[in-house]
Amino acid sequence: MMRFNTLLVLFLLSLNSFAQQTYLTEDKVTHYCGPVTEAELRNGAFAEWFTDEDPDFTLPDTAPAWASNLNDTRVEVFLGTWCRDSKTWVTRFLNYWEAAGLDTDQLSFVALYNGDEKYKQGPAAEEKGRNIHRVPTFIFSREGEEFARIVEHPVTDLETDLAQIALGHPVRPAYAGANAMWELLDSQPIDSIYAHGNKHVNDIYRLVSHSTELNTLGYVLLRAGELNKASVVFHFNTFLFRYDPNTHDSYGEVLALAGKTEAAIKSYEKVLAFKPEDENALAQLAVLRGKLEKIEE
C-alpha cells in the first residue's frame, strides 16, 4: 500500500509540473505566465476570448493561395492575458491561421507577466534576447532564423500583413522607432551610441510615433535589469519629446536609480517646468534634495 501511495503522489506531482503556470496581479486577478498551449487558451481561464463575438473581423471562406508559403514557418507568439490587444489579435491570428488551412502545431505561445517587477517577462526569461517590448508579438522564423514579425497589431490588416510575409515582402512592423532603438542597443556599445548621438536621435526621430513608444521600451529594459540601456532610451526620448513632462520624469527615475542624484534633480525640475503641480516630481525632488544635503554635510 505504501508503494502505491508513493507512486500516486509522484503521478500527481508530475501532473502538476505540466500544469499551466499562473500568478495573481495586484488587483487579485489570475493570469497565465510562461508557455501556454492552444488548448489552454481556447478552453482554459480565458476561453471567453474565443466565444465573444467579433463583428469587426471576418474569416476567409477558402484558404488563400499564398498560405502554403507558410507551411515551413514557425510562429512564436508572446502575449499577455492581461492585455486587450492580446485578446483581440491572438484570437484573430489563431482563427485566421486555421481558416487559412495552416497547422496550429507550427505555433507556440508564451504568456508574459504584467507589473513592475517582471514587466513583460516570462517566468523562465522566455522573452530574453527576443526584443519583446509590446504584446502581442508574433515572430515568424524558418530554420531558426527570424524573417518577419507583427508587433502588437497589423500595420495594414491581418490578411494583408500575413500575405506580405508569406510572399517574402514583410511590412515594417508597428513601433519601428522602438524596434530600431533596441537593434541599436544590441549592435553598439553605449559609448559609441553617445559618440554619434545626434545621428542616432535623428534616425530614431524619423521612425518613432509617440513618446510612449520609447517610454515603454525603457521600462521593459529597466525591469529586466538593463539600467544603462534603459537610461539611453529615456535620454533619447527627452530629446525627441522635450516638451513632454513624462519623458523627463522617466529619465529622472532611471538617473536616481543609477545614483546620479544631481542629474535626476535637474530632470525632475524640467518636469515641473512643464507641469508645475506634478505630484510625483515634487515628491521625488524632496527625496533627492534630502539625499544631496546629507552627501554635502
Side-chain angles (χ1 to χ4, degrees), residues 47-59:
E48 74 278 0
W49 284 16
F50 295 89
T51 57
D52 290 346
E53 291 187 11
D54 190 352
D56 298 322
F57 186 70
T58 56
L59 295 170

Side-chain angles (χ1 to χ4, degrees), residues 38 42 50 54 56-68 70 88-104 106-107 109 138 140 150 154 157-166:
E38 177 199 351
R42 285 193 178 277
F50 295 89
D54 190 352
D56 298 322
F57 186 70
T58 56
L59 295 170
D61 294 327
T62 58
W66 47 260
S68 60
L70 295 174
T88 299
W89 292 109
V90 171
T91 55
R92 289 180 178 182
F93 180 90
L94 187 47
N95 289 336
Y96 191 96
W97 191 266
E98 288 185 312
L102 293 162
D103 192 342
T104 57
Q106 297 170 244
L107 311 177
F109 304 88
F138 304 83
F140 296 74
I150 295 173
D157 58 69
L158 184 58
E159 183 171 25
T160 302
D161 281 19
L162 282 173
Q164 289 182 274
I165 290 170

Side-chain angles (χ1 to χ4, degrees), residues 145-156:
E145 293 294 326
E146 177 183 339
F147 68 93
R149 67 172 57 196
I150 295 173
V151 178
E152 192 177 77
H153 55 79
V155 174
T156 307

Side-chain angles (χ1 to χ4, degrees), residues 269-287:
E269 287 174 342
K270 288 181 180 178
V271 175
L272 296 180
F274 301 116
K275 193 178 179 182
E277 304 302 321
D278 188 280
E279 293 182 2
N280 183 64
L282 290 168
Q284 295 304 321
L285 278 171
V287 172

Side-chain angles (χ1 to χ4, degrees), residues 31-51:
H31 285 284
Y32 289 160
C33 57
V36 56
T37 66
E38 177 199 351
E40 286 165 332
L41 285 174
R42 285 193 178 277
N43 306 311
F46 297 90
E48 74 278 0
W49 284 16
F50 295 89
T51 57

Side-chain angles (χ1 to χ4, degrees), residues 80-286:
T81 53
W82 40 267
C83 169
R84 182 184 304 174
D85 289 305
S86 291
K87 176 181 178 179
T88 299
W89 292 109
V90 171
T91 55
R92 289 180 178 182
F93 180 90
L94 187 47
N95 289 336
Y96 191 96
W97 191 266
E98 288 185 312
L102 293 162
D103 192 342
T104 57
D105 285 344
Q106 297 170 244
L107 311 177
S108 61
F109 304 88
V110 177
L112 303 181
Y113 289 109
N114 194 15
D116 288 343
E117 290 187 8
K118 292 187 175 182
Y119 185 48
K120 294 179 182 172
Q121 298 176 43
E126 290 90 348
E127 84 298 339
K128 197 75 171 178
R130 311 315 304 276
N131 295 5
I132 307 298
H133 56 91
R134 294 275 174 167
V135 290
T137 291
F138 304 83
I139 300 178
F140 296 74
S141 62
R142 289 192 183 101
E143 298 181 355
E145 293 294 326
E146 177 183 339
F147 68 93
R149 67 172 57 196
I150 295 173
V151 178
E152 192 177 77
H153 55 79
V155 174
T156 307
D157 58 69
L158 184 58
E159 183 171 25
T160 302
D161 281 19
L162 282 173
Q164 289 182 274
I165 290 170
L167 296 171
H169 304 287
V171 67
R172 175 184 282 165
Y175 303 103
N179 295 332
M181 187 80 231
W182 206 326
E183 289 172 7
L184 177 64
L185 289 166
D186 281 347
S187 64
Q188 294 189 33
I190 289 176
D191 288 347
S192 175
I193 293 173
Y194 274 123
H196 304 90
N198 288 338
K199 176 187 180 305
H200 295 313
V201 167
N202 287 331
D203 290 343
I204 299 298
Y205 173 77
R206 296 186 180 94
L207 300 173
V208 73
S209 59
H210 191 273
S211 64
T212 57
E213 182 171 347
L214 292 190
N215 209 57
T216 296
L217 172 59
Y219 278 109
V220 168
L221 290 166
L222 184 60
R223 302 311 179 212
E226 300 279 5
L227 183 65
N228 291 334
K229 289 183 177 180
S231 182
V232 176
V233 174
F234 288 135
H235 196 189
F236 270 42
N237 217 20
T238 63
F239 287 103
L240 296 171
F241 300 95
R242 63 186 64 202
Y243 302 114
D244 184 337
N246 192 50
T247 65
H248 300 285
D249 183 280
S250 297
Y251 189 41
E253 180 180 345
V254 76
L255 288 169
L257 289 171
K260 300 177 180 179
T261 305
E262 293 186 20
I265 288 172
K266 291 180 180 179
S267 195
Y268 280 117
E269 287 174 342
K270 288 181 180 178
V271 175
L272 296 180
F274 301 116
K275 193 178 179 182
E277 304 302 321
D278 188 280
E279 293 182 2
N280 183 64
L282 290 168
Q284 295 304 321
L285 278 171

